Amino acid sequence: MTNDRETKKSTMGGDEREYRRLAMTLAAVLFLGTFQLGEGELKGDYSKLSGIIIPGFASTQLRAWSILDCPYSPLDFNPLDLVWLDTTKLLSAVNCWLKCMLLDPYNQTDHPECKSRPDSGLSAITELDPGYITGPLSSVWKEWVKWCIEFGIEANAIIAAPYDWRLSPSMLEERDLYFYKLKQTFETALKLRGGPSIVFAHSLGNNVFRYFLEWLKLEIAPKQYIQWLDDHIYAFFAVGAPLLGSTETVKGMLSGNTFGLPVSEGTARLMFNSFGSSLWMMPFSKYCRADAMYLKHFSGGIRKGPNAYQCEQKEFHSNYSGFSTNIINIEIPSTRGIDAYPSVSEFSQTNYSSMECGLPTQLSFSAREISDGTFFKAIEDYDSDSKRTLHQLKQSYHDDPVLNPLTPWDRPPIKNVFCIYGVDSRTEVGYYFAPSGKPYPDNWIITDVIYEIEGSLVSRSGNQVEGNPGPASGDETVPYHSLSWCKNWLGPRVNITRAPQSEHDGSDVQVELNVEHHNEDVVPNMTRSPRVKYITYYEDSESIPGRRTAVWELDKANHRNIVRSPALMRELWLQIWHDIHADSPSKFVTKAKRGPLRDDDCYWDYGKARCAWPEYCEYRYVFGDVHLGQSCRLRNSSADALLHYV
């Protein structure tokens, strides 16, 4: 018989849960002592730390800040009513709902009849649409917060930094003073708790944090910039970061991406293209860079000049800007302007013989040609939205005075950087578009999709695909090429470890030490069991003094759900636990073994008729348990087991 892990609800009484929390907290106090900061190391009581969460795209609640009467619907919008995401109002009053969601595509102002603003606090990011049914379906950071509570983290130690994810980076500061407030959040956390913060960013939240670091250079004296970062930020955990953009953004801009909402693709496109942030996630070339308009040197001088956008020769020698294939393949209609978008009735009366005068032309575009505006200029006569896109691209991105976000990342100047993402899921990397004959926003249809799947390229239609597939695939939303860019941040020598995601005894752990790394992708020569999901760790063996960098690849971890992954949350907790221990012999937590850390990790082993992991778990019935697995709980002394991970 095989081991049968059963999902179980926590039925442990309040006294027992409180005992375990106190036991783990006391273990920290007894074994850790005082708080000190060394070179890239944290030693002391973890109660000094704060965790600041920067959520991703569409991961913050938006609330109405207007009174809007919705005709033909019993539901109106009043101040503080939930807008994103209230599925009830979306279904019953979609036109009203859209008024509260849409922004002016040119100046990012609100609709004249309704405006929305981001909610505040942890409740703004835990569940987007709270409710018995909709709550679990829209859960984002709720499981993350539950883990923190189970391990005794205080309420004021977890700080959410929600933002209006519809806005471009410059508008976040101009309208909401978001980056100024974020700076104050870090400074308040330091005064309140006496220690630096750990930044947890997901998806677009990583782009937001990158812009904050560049904005900070213009707010702090050059000689104090690095010191401010060292004092206020201990570590940066970049989860699912689209470091070179996401190809799925192109689909949203041209044909619409509903994200599972009960709206048409045309409506989704109309809404998405009104957001200034839609361009923030466009794919771009790793070979092209731009200087900021305001260049602040550490010598103290400030110089204003044009944004110089320059590409290496490799960009012109490679076909796909470093990606695995061309991102856009589009048929250009034979007619231009308004004639390219007849109404449905006009289209039905068209004499198809007229098409013989001019056949459509298929054009292909790389990531660079999308991000620099070449693609949108090419379809300007065929798509009424291209002028808006070009205006927004120049105003909010190419001419941004702080940073052109559509350029490759350098390693953030933070002591400890952990880049975490999912791999080997089927991910869209290219599209074939054709004119639909319908008016905007339904004027393009997708005729084929190119996917990357575990190191190969396939098309939805089965046609042969030309390209250069990478060694792995992405996380269903962001391609591997974009996610793995952070491997360039690793040092010249790297230690690679591959271990199962689930609890293990170390028998299936593979290690490669001191692998040479030359600012490129690192691919281990390791085996995989087809039924096991692994985590592959890439960790600095040699690095800049006082700096650590690690990359974690989680097999089959979905982009949107990775923040709810128990394996990820366990590894984060163990790494932080390792860092605060005063006698840690290594820079990173050991991967040799993983045992249960929570009651939910214990289960009944039917083959051996006992609780699995007997050194960690024991059978202890509590009134209300309905099956054997529920009665398997951690031993009272399991807090001591954490000492194996220092």
Side-chain angles (χ1 to χ4, degrees):
M1 295 180 66
T2 59
N3 292 354
D4 181 19
R5 180 178 303 224
E6 303 174 63
T7 305
K8 54 184 182 177
K9 295 181 179 179
S10 177
T11 58
M12 184 171 59
D15 292 341
E16 187 174 352
R17 183 178 296 276
E18 180 67 13
Y19 172 83
R20 182 153 296 110
R21 186 189 70 80
L22 290 173
M24 303 187 78
T25 305
L26 285 173
V29 174
L30 290 174
F31 290 107
L32 299 180
T34 59
F35 176 89
Q36 297 176 355
L37 279 171
E39 288 192 0
E41 299 177 353
L42 176 67
K43 299 178 181 180
D45 187 356
Y46 72 94
S47 65
K48 301 284 187 179
L49 291 172
S50 299
I52 295 180
I53 301 174
I54 306 178
F57 180 78
S59 296
T60 295
Q61 288 182 347
L62 301 178
R63 294 191 176 272
W65 199 247
S66 301
I67 301 174
L68 179 61
D69 181 27
C70 300
Y72 313 112
S73 172
L75 302 176
D76 298 327
F77 281 96
N78 294 298
L80 301 183
D81 281 357
L82 195 60
V83 177
W84 183 269
L85 182 61
D86 188 333
T87 52
T88 302
K89 290 183 178 178
L90 170 59
L91 290 169
S92 62
V94 63
N95 290 330
C96 271
W97 182 81
L98 279 174
K99 289 179 181 178
C100 295
M101 285 296 300
L102 292 172
L103 297 175
D104 185 281
Y106 283 92
N107 55 26
Q108 296 291 281
T109 56
D110 300 290
H111 191 279
E113 298 181 44
C114 184
K115 63 181 178 181
S116 300
R117 291 295 180 266
D119 202 355
S120 59
L122 284 173
S123 60
I125 66 171
T126 49
E127 286 182 344
L128 298 179
D129 189 9
Y132 184 75
I133 297 176
T134 57
L137 296 176
S138 64
S139 175
V140 185
W141 291 90
K142 187 174 182 178
E143 290 298 318
W144 191 291
V145 174
K146 284 178 63 178
W147 263 74
C148 294
I149 293 172
E150 285 193 45
F151 286 106
I153 305 300
E154 295 296 331
N156 62 0
I158 305 298
I159 305 168
Y163 58 96
D164 193 335
W165 41 268
R166 302 172 299 168
L167 298 177
S168 63
S170 57
M171 280 301 296
L172 276 176
E173 180 63 17
E174 181 180 331
R175 195 196 75 179
D176 295 344
L177 292 178
Y178 178 78
F179 300 110
Y180 173 77
K181 294 176 182 177
L182 185 58
K183 177 175 176 285
Q184 287 188 319
T185 299
F186 282 106
E187 292 171 346
T188 302
L190 177 62
K191 290 182 179 180
L192 180 65
R193 302 187 60 80
S197 297
I198 300 173
V199 177
F200 301 103
H202 176 237
S203 191
L204 180 64
N206 293 281
N207 297 19
V208 172
F209 184 64
R210 177 199 184 189
Y211 193 90
F212 167 73
L213 294 178
E214 294 298 320
W215 173 88
L216 198 63
K217 291 180 180 178
L218 303 178
E219 294 295 311
I220 295 179
K223 295 181 180 180
Q224 298 176 6
Y225 175 70
I226 297 298
Q227 187 61 49
W228 190 96
L229 293 179
D230 289 346
D231 291 342
H232 293 84
I233 304 175
Y234 168 67
F236 170 39
F237 287 87
V239 183
L243 301 173
L244 298 176
S246 172
T247 52
E248 200 173 81
T249 304
V250 172
K251 180 172 71 173
M253 295 181 67
L254 287 183
S255 66
N257 192 346
T258 65
F259 297 105
L261 295 176
V263 296
S264 67
E265 290 185 343
T267 300
R269 182 192 181 194
L270 189 69
M271 181 174 66
F272 186 69
N273 286 352
S274 77
F275 302 158
S277 63
S278 62
L279 302 176
W280 205 347
M281 299 172 285
M282 281 201 310
F284 52 87
S285 173
K286 66 179 181 180
Y287 300 120
C288 301
R289 294 180 177 271
D291 295 328
M293 183 176 293
Y294 295 97
L295 301 178
K296 189 162 194 174
H297 302 286
F298 283 91
S299 60
I302 300 178
R303 176 169 59 87
K304 181 178 179 180
N307 287 29
Y309 190 77
Q310 297 179 342
C311 298
E312 302 175 16
Q313 286 300 315
K314 290 182 180 179
E315 168 62 28
F316 306 103
H317 294 156
S318 65
N319 295 328
Y320 314 116
S321 297
F323 281 76
S324 55
T325 187
N326 283 317
I327 295 172
I328 294 179
N329 304 275
I330 190 168
E331 288 186 7
I332 299 298
S334 56
T335 55
R336 291 174 177 260
I338 298 175
D339 294 334
Y341 312 108
S343 65
V344 177
S345 59
E346 291 172 340
F347 185 78
S348 63
Q349 299 173 8
T350 300
N351 184 352
Y352 282 89
S353 62
S354 65
M355 292 293 291
E356 297 175 359
C357 298
L359 297 175
T361 302
Q362 180 168 295
L363 302 176
S364 298
F365 297 90
S366 65
R368 173 184 60 83
E369 294 167 324
I370 296 171
S371 62
D372 69 6
T374 301
F375 164 69
F376 299 103
K377 291 177 183 176
I379 66 169
E380 190 171 2
D381 292 331
Y382 311 98
D383 192 291
S384 60
D385 195 51
S386 291
K387 290 182 180 179
R388 187 278 315 169
T389 304
L390 288 168
H391 171 81
Q392 193 66 256
L393 186 62
K394 176 176 172 56
Q395 181 186 56
S396 300
Y397 293 88
H398 292 170
D399 291 345
D400 188 291
V402 175
L403 168 75
N404 179 357
L406 304 179
T407 52
W409 285 50
D410 293 324
R411 185 194 183 280
I414 295 172
K415 291 179 179 179
N416 304 288
V417 176
F418 293 80
C419 184
I420 307 164
Y421 53 87
V423 294
D424 285 344
S425 295
R426 189 177 76 162
T427 306
E428 298 174 359
V429 294
Y431 303 96
Y432 283 80
F433 295 96
S436 67
K438 298 179 181 180
Y440 178 85
D442 299 306
N443 52 306
W444 301 108
I445 58 173
I446 295 178
T447 58
D448 203 359
V449 180
I450 302 172
Y451 300 96
E452 61 178 8
I453 304 177
E454 298 183 12
S456 62
L457 296 175
V458 298
S459 68
R460 186 175 65 184
S461 64
N463 295 331
Q464 186 176 0
V465 178
E466 294 184 1
N468 301 319
S473 55
D475 62 2
E476 293 189 15
T477 300
V478 183
Y480 173 80
H481 172 70
S482 179
L483 293 166
S484 62
W485 173 252
C486 55
K487 286 185 179 178
N488 290 274
W489 303 346
L490 292 166
R493 292 185 180 275
V494 180
N495 294 334
I496 307 175
T497 307
R498 178 169 289 167
Q501 291 185 23
S502 60
E503 292 77 19
H504 61 87
D505 59 6
S507 59
D508 192 15
V509 175
Q510 305 170 68
V511 180
E512 292 183 9
L513 300 177
N514 296 317
V515 177
E516 291 189 3
H517 173 242
H518 304 287
N519 294 326
E520 56 188 15
D521 197 0
V522 184
V523 181
N525 183 20
M526 296 178 175
T527 60
R528 294 176 181 270
S529 175
R531 296 185 179 182
V532 178
K533 294 181 181 179
Y534 293 94
I535 303 181
T536 306
Y537 309 84
Y538 304 82
E539 299 168 335
D540 279 343
S541 174
E542 294 180 11
S543 57
I544 302 173
R547 297 287 185 262
R548 284 187 309 171
T549 308
V551 177
W552 300 349
E553 294 181 343
L554 281 71
D555 290 355
K556 306 296 183 182
N558 177 279
H559 179 81
R560 296 182 178 89
N561 296 328
I562 190 171
V563 295
R564 292 184 284 177
S565 167
L568 171 59
M569 290 186 279
R570 179 196 67 210
E571 293 304 311
L572 288 174
W573 171 255
L574 291 179
Q575 183 62 53
I576 296 171
W577 175 268
H578 167 275
D579 288 356
I580 61 180
H581 198 277
D583 301 320
S584 302
S586 60
K587 293 194 297 183
F588 299 96
V589 64
T590 177
K591 315 298 187 298
K593 187 178 182 180
R594 287 292 182 269
L597 294 179
R598 305 183 303 159
D599 287 338
D600 286 350
D601 300 330
C602 297
Y603 60 96
W604 185 259
D605 185 342
Y606 286 94
K608 298 180 179 179
R610 69 181 187 190
C611 292
W613 296 95
E615 64 270 37
Y616 295 93
C617 305
E618 64 181 2
Y619 182 84
R620 190 165 69 253
Y621 175 80
V622 174
F623 180 76
D625 291 350
V626 295
H627 55 74
L628 293 171
Q630 254 183 318
S631 299
C632 290
R633 293 182 166 84
L634 290 175
R635 296 181 180 274
N636 289 335
S637 60
S638 290
D640 297 338
L642 288 171
L643 294 178
H644 295 295
Y645 299 107
V646 297

